[in-house]
Amino acid sequence: MKKIDVVELYITKRIDVLQRENGEYQIHKKEINELKEVLDVIAKTRTVRCGKTLTKINGFDVDKLIKHTTSYL
């Protein structure tokens, strides 16, 4: 598996766990929204890649974003 696939899988599972724990108080709403934004960036990287190494999307440094996201693992 590629690193980005592992990150995407982790984020998806983390969102599922947080949504189950969320309950009616919506205590994890901010974290869930941030994780969904990361998934959006991952989706954009897939659509933008055209055989070249992608380094930036909409001003985001993809390598830094991946390192920041994987630091939660």
Side-chain angles (χ1 to χ4, degrees):
M1 280 185 116
K2 295 181 180 180
K3 289 180 185 179
I4 201 153
D5 293 335
V6 173
V7 171
E8 184 179 18
L9 179 63
Y10 170 77
I11 291 172
T12 305
K13 294 295 182 182
R14 182 76 178 137
I15 289 173
D16 290 342
V17 169
L18 290 174
Q19 285 177 337
R20 276 186 265 138
E21 293 176 356
N22 220 3
E24 67 181 81
Y25 298 109
Q26 302 294 315
I27 54 177
H28 299 297
K29 189 171 186 172
K30 182 180 176 185
E31 187 175 356
I32 290 171
N33 288 337
E34 289 175 356
L35 291 172
K36 286 182 179 181
E37 288 175 7
V38 172
L39 284 178
D40 289 342
V41 171
I42 290 172
K44 287 179 184 177
T45 61
R46 288 210 171 113
T47 58
V48 173
R49 286 182 193 249
C50 296
K52 295 181 179 179
T53 303
L54 183 64
T55 57
K56 289 195 177 210
I57 298 175
N58 295 337
F60 289 110
D61 186 356
V62 175
D63 290 332
K64 285 183 182 178
L65 182 64
I66 291 172
K67 286 177 186 175
H68 177 70
T69 305
T70 55
S71 68
Y72 290 117
L73 297 175

